[in-house]
Structure formats: structure tokens, C-alpha cells
Amino acid sequence: MSVKKLKKAKKRDHTKEVLATVTESEAPRSQADGAKKTDPKYEKLPLYFYILMGVALLALLLYLVAVLSPAFANWFNGGIGAGIRAFLAYLTSWLPFSLAEFLIYLSPAIVIALGIYAYRWRCETWRSVFVFLGCVISVFSIFFSLFVFGFGTGYHTDPLDQRLALNAGEVSGTELYETALWLTREVNQSAGDIDFGENGFSVMPHSRREMNDLLIAAYRPVCDAYPFIQRLNSRVKPVLASHLMSYTHITGVYTYFTGEANLNTAFPDYTLPFTAAHELAHQRGIARENEANFVAFLVTAASEDPYIRYSGYLNLFEYVSSALYEVSPEQYKEILGKLDKKVIGELRAYSAFFDTYRNAAIADVSEVFNDTHLKFHGSAAGVDSYGLVVDLAVAYYQTNKG
């Protein structure tokens, strides 16, 4: 072998040794990457997926039964549903803030974190992508299951007028006028014990905690009279972003997945007790909006506190008088003429207050969403169902007058 050939052979041997070294040093990394892509735990659905989706399927079946059978809905909403609502309410009651509001603020960060996690560690193949999406869907199915088990069947119970033994029927103009006249007398009587500020608004002489305690106390005789209304020693949570929430025209919301009754505290004082009682009614299984409004009236009217009663009567008066205006503007003007001047000042002050939020674009989006939600769950009137409290108010007055 010549010297030249020997040098070339040694060069090839040297290159071979270097390549072997590189290959050996990088082999563990390559194998590790391969193990990550083919790890069985990323390629198959976990046990919790089947459990959560099974629970969701059971919830769907129960919901369909409730839709078809008001008797079943009555039983489920007042039994299992009541237990779940109470558990969630007590679980979150120790928090001084609304957990639901906090979760809403945190949701964008959660979505981004899920996306980063999926991209970097989970979704190496199409199969792993679908498995990950299945896992996410199963976790979010908890919201649907909680809705059905804790609250949703309440939309399909017997109507409140039947459960209260009211003689509800088609409302005549005369009955509407008589009901508005009755409420005018009650509002005027309550207003005599109320202080009003220079801005025209009445002043609630209680803190929010005191207001809550008064409402819980007022719920007790109502629950005694109507056992289907659940007993709970709970409280209303103030919404931190109440001013921003006002642009949606939402005064309160019950979040079934945390069991919290949330109150928009940016609205005038006289709306707060009635709205709080409304959300507390949802917390107690009264799902339909008009029925929650009427239970709120029953509770506030049962209170021993004049301001709580004033809030209930005035808020119901606004619903009934608005309906009367649609039927007879002349009688509406006559009713307003009988209203205490301080109360007239309160209503004018509220109208001026609401001008700030009246034409907010986000309110239209909120209304469409709420309207769709209510219609999907069996309320054909959608957002107009809030105003159906007028029918209950007229039936209540006609049943109990004299």
C-alpha cells in the first residue's frame, strides 16, 4: 500500500469514528423525541373522558325526561337539584368575591395556556390532537352536567301560578288598572318611611351585608308558605366590574356552576334589594325569569323593613305600569298622577342614570345571547319573559283582593 493510499484510509477511519461518536451521543435524544411522539398516554382517551362524558349523557337523558314530565322536573329540581345548589352555594360562600367573575377574567389566559400546552407537549400526531380535543370537551361537559343536575330542570317544573294556586288567565285592561292602582298605594305608603337624596334617588339605610340578612329573613315566611322554594342561608356577591357590567343592561346574574348570586351594585339603591331577591330565587331553583321576579316581589313584600318593601313594590309597579301604558296611555298618566312626588323624582332620576348605558352596543349582543338562552330552555318569550311577571302580579292581586 502506498503512502498516499494509507493516508486516505486513515482519514476514512477517522471520519467513521467521529460519525459513530456523534451518532452515539445523539441517540438518546432522538429516542426520547420518538418516545414523546408515540407515548400511549397521548394517543388514547383517558378514563376520566369516559366518566365525564357518561355523566353528561346521563344529564342529557334526565333533561329530556324533565322536558316531557313536569312532575319529574318538580321532584328532581326540589330534591337532587336543591342539594347540588346548596352544596355549590356553601362551597363558594366563604369567598368575599365572585368566583364566577374571577373565572371569566381568567378564561382568556386559560385558553392561551391550553393552546401552548397542546402545541408543545401534547399534539404531535393527528391522533393525539383529537385525543386532546376530546379531553378538553369532556372537562367542559362538566358545565352542562352541573346545569342540568343543579338548575336546568327548573325551567320545566309546573308554572308558578299553579304552584301558588293563583287564578291566572288572560289579563283585561280593567284588571291591569286595578293592579297598578293597588301597587301605587303600596309604593306611596312605603315611601313615607324612606329618605331621598338631593339627586332624586332614595337612600338605602343598610350595607349590602345588612340588606342580604334582611332578605334571608324575609325568605323564611315565604318558604314556610311555599315549600317548593328552597331554604338556604346564602348571600349575594357584588360584581367588581359593576360599572362595565351596566353597559350590558344586566343588573344581576346567577352562575349555576359556582352556585353564586351576583349583583350589579352600580345601579341605584332602590333596584338592589329586588334584584338581589331575584338572583337568590334562582339560587333556590326558580329558573324562569318572570317567576324569579315574582318570588322576589313576594320576598321583599314580606320583609319587615320599609326600604326592602319599597324596593319590591316599586320594581313591580314599573313592570305593571309599563304594561298599562301599552293598553291605555290615559290610565297610565292617571296612575302616575296618584304616585308620590318623591317616587316620581326617583323614576326620573333612574331614567337620567340609565341614559349613560341605554344605547350601548354590547347590550344588543347581551340581549341576543340571553334571548337565545331563554328560548332554548323552553321560554318562548325569551327576554320578554321578564315582563310576564305582570300576569302573575295581576293574578295575585285578583286572587287576594278583598
Side-chain angles (χ1 to χ4, degrees):
M1 181 180 292
S2 66
V3 175
K4 186 176 183 180
K5 287 183 178 180
L6 181 61
K7 287 182 177 180
K8 290 177 73 174
K10 288 182 176 180
K11 184 177 181 180
R12 284 197 297 270
D13 291 342
H14 177 70
T15 302
K16 184 177 180 179
E17 292 174 359
V18 172
L19 288 174
T21 303
V22 172
T23 302
E24 291 174 1
S25 64
E26 294 191 353
R29 180 180 177 183
S30 177
Q31 291 172 1
D33 289 344
K36 176 185 175 183
K37 293 181 181 180
T38 58
D39 193 330
K41 69 181 180 182
Y42 297 145
E43 297 290 326
K44 65 179 182 179
L45 293 167
L47 178 61
Y48 71 79
F49 168 86
Y50 297 99
I51 295 174
L52 293 178
M53 295 306 290
V55 172
L57 178 60
L58 176 62
L60 177 60
L61 293 175
L62 290 172
Y63 189 76
L64 292 176
V65 174
V67 171
L68 297 173
S69 173
F72 174 79
N74 292 340
W75 171 79
F76 193 92
N77 188 57
I80 296 174
I84 292 175
R85 289 191 301 272
F87 173 75
L88 290 173
Y90 291 138
L91 189 66
T92 57
S93 63
W94 63 274
L95 293 172
F97 58 88
S98 169
L99 176 61
E101 184 182 9
F102 177 76
L103 290 175
I104 290 172
Y105 298 151
L106 197 61
S107 58
I110 293 174
V111 172
I112 294 172
L114 278 174
I116 295 173
Y117 170 70
Y119 178 76
R120 295 190 61 180
W121 288 290
R122 285 294 300 268
C123 299
E124 296 291 338
T125 65
W126 278 111
R127 182 178 178 84
S128 63
V129 169
F130 287 119
V131 167
F132 179 74
L133 289 177
C135 293
V136 172
I137 291 171
S138 69
V139 171
F140 277 90
S141 73
I142 295 174
F143 288 92
F144 172 73
S145 299
L146 283 176
F147 171 76
V148 174
F149 288 123
F151 187 66
T153 58
Y155 283 105
H156 305 285
T157 58
D158 286 325
L160 188 63
D161 58 311
Q162 294 182 20
R163 305 175 89 177
L164 296 179
L166 300 178
N167 299 319
E170 186 173 349
V171 176
S172 68
T174 300
E175 291 174 333
L176 195 59
Y177 173 78
E178 290 176 351
T179 305
L181 196 59
W182 160 62
L183 289 170
T184 301
R185 292 194 297 267
E186 296 293 345
V187 168
N188 288 343
Q189 182 176 349
S190 300
D193 299 319
I194 303 302
D195 292 328
F196 290 81
E198 294 181 359
N199 58 2
F201 284 121
S202 59
V203 180
M204 181 165 63
H206 313 296
S207 66
R208 284 195 294 271
R209 181 177 291 275
E210 291 169 340
M211 178 195 74
N212 191 95
D213 292 341
L214 288 168
L215 288 174
I216 297 303
Y219 255 101
R220 295 190 187 110
V222 176
C223 292
D224 289 338
Y226 310 110
F228 63 88
I229 300 177
Q230 183 180 357
R231 291 179 176 275
L232 273 180
N233 185 21
S234 57
R235 63 175 177 144
V236 177
K237 300 284 191 72
V239 174
L240 296 179
S242 287
H243 175 65
L244 295 177
M245 186 180 181
S246 299
Y247 286 99
T248 67
H249 299 178
I250 296 175
T251 56
V253 60
Y254 171 65
T255 48
Y256 65 87
F257 53 92
T258 61
E260 294 170 304
N262 304 280
L263 179 66
N264 181 341
T265 57
F267 272 69
D269 282 0
Y270 85 91
T271 69
L272 299 184
F274 183 82
T275 302
H278 174 107
E279 302 309 330
L280 290 171
H282 282 321
Q283 194 180 53
R284 285 150 179 76
I286 309 299
R288 300 181 186 101
E289 296 300 337
N290 61 319
E291 296 181 357
N293 265 343
F294 193 69
V295 169
F297 163 71
L298 291 177
V299 169
T300 51
S303 175
E304 296 180 357
D305 182 78
Y307 197 85
I308 301 296
R309 291 198 305 274
Y310 172 77
S311 174
Y313 281 116
L314 183 53
N315 276 271
L316 189 61
F317 170 84
E318 289 182 282
Y319 280 109
V320 173
S321 62
S322 294
L324 180 62
Y325 177 81
E326 298 296 326
V327 174
S328 174
E330 294 76 16
Q331 288 184 321
Y332 170 79
K333 292 178 182 178
E334 179 188 340
I335 288 293
L336 285 187
K338 298 178 183 297
L339 206 59
D340 189 302
K341 291 183 179 180
K342 293 179 292 184
V343 180
I344 292 290
E346 175 114 77
L347 297 178
R348 286 175 177 165
Y350 178 82
S351 181
F353 159 83
F354 196 67
D355 282 342
T356 304
Y357 311 103
R358 195 180 304 278
N359 298 317
I362 193 173
D364 296 331
V365 177
S366 172
E367 182 172 339
V368 169
F369 177 82
N370 196 23
D371 186 68
T372 303
H373 167 78
L374 294 173
K375 288 179 177 177
F376 180 78
H377 293 294
S379 179
V383 293
D384 292 334
S385 64
Y386 291 87
L388 295 179
V389 68
V390 173
D391 298 340
L392 291 169
V394 172
Y396 177 81
Y397 175 69
Q398 294 299 322
T399 302
N400 293 282
K401 69 177 181 179

